[in-house]
């Protein structure tokens, strides 16, 4: 049972990383050559997250039973979604290979 729980968490972490990478690539691709300001692009990304939440919540809404077990709770869910950008700003930046100083040569 513990091994299955760890596997589920690992699968979820990999899934979250894949979503984060895809969104990051899409965001920077949209900024490149589209003439959008950074704030306009961030607003579009936020709106899109809201639309996605609405679509997924509607699919999980009244009278439907999903095997995933999620039951939408907009009040609580939106608090969680709003907290993530603030939490990300407070975390130390992850090392970025593009900005790292070379330690030597090969």
């Amino acid at each position: 049972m513990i091994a299955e729980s760890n596997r589920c968490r690992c699968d979820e972490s990999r899934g979250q990383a894949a979503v984060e990478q895809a969104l990051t690539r899409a965001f920077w691709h949209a900024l490149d050559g589209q003439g959008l300001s950074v704030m306009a692009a961030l607003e579009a990304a936020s709106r899109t997250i809201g639309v996605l939440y609405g679509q997924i919540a509607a699919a999980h809404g009244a009278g439907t039973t999903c095997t995933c077990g999620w039951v939408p709770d907009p009040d609580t869910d939106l608090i969680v979604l709003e907290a993530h950008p603030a939490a990300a700003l407070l975390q130390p930046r992850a090392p970025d290979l593009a900005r790292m100083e070379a330690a030597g040569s090969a």
Side-chain angles (χ1 to χ4, degrees):
M1 188 73 162
I2 292 174
E4 184 176 326
S5 176
N6 287 339
R7 184 175 52 89
C8 290
R9 274 183 288 212
C10 189
D11 290 346
E12 186 173 291
S13 292
R14 277 197 299 268
Q16 286 181 351
V19 169
E20 290 169 5
Q21 289 172 3
L23 289 173
T24 300
R25 276 194 301 272
F27 180 83
W28 289 113
H29 179 73
L31 275 180
D32 187 28
Q34 298 299 319
L36 278 177
S37 71
V38 172
M39 198 59 202
L42 288 169
E43 288 171 7
S46 294
R47 258 191 321 278
T48 302
I49 296 297
V51 168
L52 286 171
Y53 176 88
Q55 292 171 350
I56 296 166
H60 285 80
T64 58
T65 304
C66 182
T67 58
C68 80
W70 180 59
V71 177
D73 180 0
D75 293 335
T76 302
D77 295 341
L78 293 178
I79 289 169
V80 170
L81 291 173
E82 289 171 351
H84 281 280
L89 287 173
L90 297 175
Q91 291 178 353
R93 284 183 60 165
D96 182 354
L97 290 176
R99 292 184 177 88
M100 288 182 142
E101 192 174 318
S105 61

